[in-house]
Amino acid sequence: MIFTLILSVTLCSISQGLDNGLAVTPPMGWLSWERYRCNIDCDNDPDNCISENLYTAMADAMVTEGYKDKGYEYVNVDDCWMEKERDANGTLVADRKRFPHGMKWLADYMHAKGLKLGIYEDFGTFTCGGYPGSEFYLQKDAETFASWGIDMVKLDGCNSNIQDMEYGYPAMSLFLNQTGRPMLYSCSWPAYVVFSKQIPDYKKIASYCNIWRNYADIQDSWDSVRGIIEFYGNDTGNFSLVAGPGNYNDPDMIIVGDYGLSYDQQRVQMAMWAIMSAPLLISVDLRNVKPEAKALLQSDILIRINQDANGSMGKRIMKNGAMEIWTKKLGFDFKGMAFAFLNLDDGGGPLRVNMRLYEIGLTNTEGYNVTEGFTGEFIGVLKPYDVINASVNPSGIWLGMAY
Ligand SMILES: *[C@@H]1O[C@H](CO)[C@@H](O)[C@H](O)[C@H]1NC(C)=O
Ligand SMILES: *[C@@H]1O[C@H](CO)[C@@H](O)[C@H](O)[C@H]1NC(C)=O
Ligand SMILES: *[C@@H]1O[C@H](CO)[C@@H](O)[C@H](O)[C@H]1NC(C)=O
Ligand SMILES: *[C@@H]1O[C@H](CO)[C@@H](O)[C@H](O)[C@H]1NC(C)=O
Ligand SMILES: *[C@@H]1O[C@H](CO)[C@@H](O)[C@H](O)[C@H]1NC(C)=O
C-alpha cells in the first residue's frame, strides 16, 4: 500500500473531528442517486438522464422554486457521470456526450448561481455502476476535482477491500486537504463496515470525513425509512456521540416528494432527519414537487431543528412497542429541545400519548414555551409536571419544540 507510510506520520497529528471549515451544520442540497440512479439513456429520456442538463435544470429549480433561499446549496452528481476510460494521462473524463461542456463548466454554472457542485467517485477499482474507480488514483483524482472547482466529494466503496478502507479513506482526506481547495468529504466507509457485520470506529471516521454514509442505501419505501430510523435508534457503536459541527452521520437522501411515502410518512422522514442532524440531500424532481411535499422540504421549523448550531444528534430515549420517543437538544446551552412521538404501527387509528415534560427530560422548573413542531402553533408555557397530549397517526409523528 503506497499511502501507509505517508499516513503513519499524519494520522497521529489529528485527534479531533475533521476540521476543514465545512459542514459546520448538516449540509443541505440535492443528490441525483435515489431518483435518477444510473439512467444514461439520454436519447429516449433526455430530461431525466444523468447529464449536465439534469444538473443545470435542478440548479435552476433550486433557485426558482425557493429551495436555495431556505439553505439548500449543494447540487450533487452521483454515479455514472464518467467516460468508461480515463484519458491518456490517467485523468477522469466526464461522459463526452452527456456532459459536453465538462465538469469545470458545470461547477462554474453552479457557482454563478451561488450554488455548489458535488461529485461522486469510488474508493475501489470501479464505481458501483462500473465506471473507473479511484484506487491507485486518489491523489490525482483529488487534484482533478480541485481543478474543476468541485465543492463536495462522495467516495463510495464498491469493488474494494474493506481492510484497505482504513488507509484509503484517510488518504483521500489528506489528498483533498493538500489541494488547498475546501471540499466537503462524504465517506461511504462505515456503510461497508456495517454490511460486514462489524461496528465501525466512528471516532476515527469522524477525524477524516465531514459526513459518512451510515447504514444501507435508502430506497423509495417506508420499509427502508423505518429500517434506517431503527438503526439510528439502536445507535450501535455510539455514533450519535461523534456528531457535531464539521461531522455528521448520513442516513441517506430525503425522498419526500417521490413516490413511496404517504403524507404522514413524509412528515416522519423530514422530522426525523431534522432530529438526527442528518444532511438534507433531497433526491426528487425539483421541477415537479407536490405543494404538500414542498412545504415539508422548505419548512422553516424543521430546517431550524436540523441546522441547530450545537449539531448534536437526537436520540431515541424510549421505545414501547411501536411507540418511540426521540429528543434532540438544541442551542449552545442545551436549553431547548425538539421532541417527537413516533408511531411505527402500520395499522389501526391514531395512538394517544400523554406525557409529563419531565419524563422526556424537560426538568427546568421555570417551565418552557412549547409549540407544535410542524405548524409552530403555541401550546403554552408548561412546567415539568404539566402534561402534553398528542395524537399520533399510524406510521406518523407528532413533533414538539420546547425552549
Ligand atoms: C496530458 O498531459 C500533457 C502534459 O501536461 C498535455 O500536454 C496533454 O494535453 C494531456 N493529454 C490529455 C489527453 O489531456
Ligand atoms: C487542511 O487541514 C488543516 C488542518 O486540519 C485545516 O486547517 C485546513 O483548513 C485544511 N484545508 C483544506 C483545504 O481542507
Ligand atoms: C436494532 O436492535 C434490535 C435489538 O437489538 C435488533 O433486533 C435490530 O435488528 C436492530 N436493528 C437494526 C436496523 O440494526
Ligand atoms: C456506548 O455507550 C454506552 C454508555 O455510554 C457504553 O456502555 C457502551 O459500551 C458504548 N458502546 C460502544 C460500542 O462504544
Ligand atoms: C453543545 O451543547 C453542550 C451542552 O451545553 C456543550 O457542552 C457543547 O460544547 C455544545 N457544542 C457546541 C458545538 O455548541
Side-chain angles (χ1 to χ4, degrees):
M1 201 95 344
I2 26 170
F3 34 69
T4 26
L5 259 182
I6 321 169
L7 283 172
S8 52
V9 183
T10 334
L11 291 183
C12 320
S13 61
I14 307 172
S15 56
Q16 297 289 305
L18 173 64
D19 179 18
N20 55 4
L22 301 173
V24 174
T25 58
M28 296 172 66
W30 183 90
L31 175 60
S32 55
W33 183 254
E34 198 294 314
R35 179 63 180 260
Y36 295 97
R37 307 284 165 150
C38 194
N39 176 359
I40 55 173
D41 186 4
C42 291
D43 292 334
N44 293 306
D45 197 6
D47 292 339
N48 300 297
C49 65
I50 300 302
S51 67
E52 63 184 31
N53 289 340
L54 180 68
Y55 297 100
T56 57
M58 289 305 147
D60 296 351
M62 204 180 258
V63 174
T64 58
E65 299 293 314
Y67 294 91
K68 176 172 180 276
D69 285 343
K70 298 292 179 179
Y72 292 95
E73 56 176 348
Y74 289 93
V75 176
N76 290 355
V77 175
D78 208 277
D79 204 352
C80 306
W81 60 269
M82 294 175 227
E83 283 287 332
K84 284 275 170 124
E85 306 283 346
R86 290 170 181 270
D87 75 9
N89 291 340
T91 307
L92 293 169
V93 185
D95 186 278
R96 292 186 180 88
K97 188 173 166 207
R98 292 180 285 118
F99 293 84
H101 296 95
M103 280 296 167
K104 171 138 193 0
W105 176 89
L106 193 57
D108 290 344
Y109 187 94
M110 299 303 161
H111 298 156
K113 288 193 171 284
L115 299 171
K116 295 180 167 161
L117 183 66
I119 209 160
Y120 168 99
E121 242 296 4
D122 188 286
F123 167 61
T125 46
F126 292 95
T127 70
C128 303
Y131 293 82
S134 277
E135 196 158 356
F136 311 118
Y137 291 92
L138 290 173
Q139 185 163 21
K140 182 161 191 78
D141 292 348
E143 287 165 1
T144 301
F145 296 152
S147 76
W148 288 344
I150 296 294
D151 302 295
M152 173 163 169
V153 175
K154 173 180 173 184
L155 196 64
D156 210 338
C158 279
N159 305 305
S160 73
N161 204 322
I162 196 160
Q163 290 89 318
D164 293 343
M165 289 187 180
E166 60 181 306
Y167 304 106
Y169 278 95
M172 188 56 156
S173 186
L174 174 67
F175 295 141
L176 289 171
N177 182 280
Q178 283 177 347
T179 66
R181 179 175 178 83
M183 289 183 269
L184 198 155
Y185 185 30
S186 164
C187 301
S188 299
W189 180 8
Y192 288 86
V193 178
V194 170
F195 290 153
S196 71
K197 307 251 181 281
Q198 292 166 268
I199 298 177
D201 181 346
Y202 289 105
K203 267 200 187 132
K204 181 171 177 185
I205 290 166
S207 66
Y208 296 106
C209 308
N210 290 118
I211 62 176
W212 48 88
R213 285 280 303 102
N214 202 11
Y215 201 52
D217 282 4
I218 199 162
Q219 306 297 327
D220 193 3
S221 76
W222 171 240
D223 256 10
S224 170
V225 169
R226 189 171 51 186
I228 293 168
I229 292 170
E230 185 177 291
F231 179 83
Y232 276 70
N234 287 358
D235 196 14
T236 306
N238 295 325
F239 54 81
S240 62
L241 298 179
V242 295
N247 299 107
Y248 294 100
N249 290 281
D250 179 5
D252 217 1
M253 291 156 275
I254 299 282
I255 55 168
V256 169
D258 283 316
Y259 307 101
L261 303 183
S262 71
Y263 178 59
D264 273 294
Q265 293 163 353
Q266 295 182 53
R267 282 168 40 112
V268 170
Q269 195 197 17
M270 202 59 198
M272 287 304 299
W273 264 234
I275 283 183
M276 297 189 300
S277 298
L280 298 179
L281 299 172
I282 315 170
S283 196
V284 57
D285 185 350
L286 293 177
R287 295 165 294 199
N288 201 356
V289 180
K290 287 208 178 93
E292 63 183 24
K294 188 172 168 184
L296 286 174
L297 294 168
Q298 297 194 357
S299 156
D300 289 325
I301 306 176
L302 297 180
I303 291 172
R304 194 167 105 216
I305 294 172
N306 176 267
Q307 295 287 300
D308 182 70
N310 189 282
S312 75
M313 191 187 117
K315 291 174 123 161
R316 183 177 72 199
I317 59 161
M318 227 179 276
K319 182 173 169 63
N320 185 356
M323 177 60 68
E324 298 185 353
I325 301 177
W326 285 70
T327 59
K328 175 180 178 175
K329 292 176 175 153
L330 301 174
F332 286 103
D333 50 3
F334 276 179
K335 200 166 172 290
M337 187 188 269
F339 56 99
F341 305 129
L342 180 61
N343 180 359
L344 294 173
D345 220 341
D346 50 11
L351 271 178
R352 302 225 47 102
V353 179
N354 300 301
M355 275 278 158
R356 291 182 198 280
L357 293 194
Y358 79 86
E359 295 177 279
I360 54 174
L362 293 168
T363 54
N364 188 338
T365 50
E366 315 239 300
Y368 299 85
N369 292 303
V370 179
T371 56
E372 199 277 338
F374 287 96
T375 60
E377 189 187 325
F378 185 64
I379 294 172
V381 179
L382 303 186
K383 301 253 160 124
Y385 278 85
D386 288 333
V387 176
I388 303 231
N389 291 301
S391 166
V392 197
N393 291 351
S395 66
I397 195 165
W398 191 94
L399 182 68
M401 295 247 291
Y403 53 91

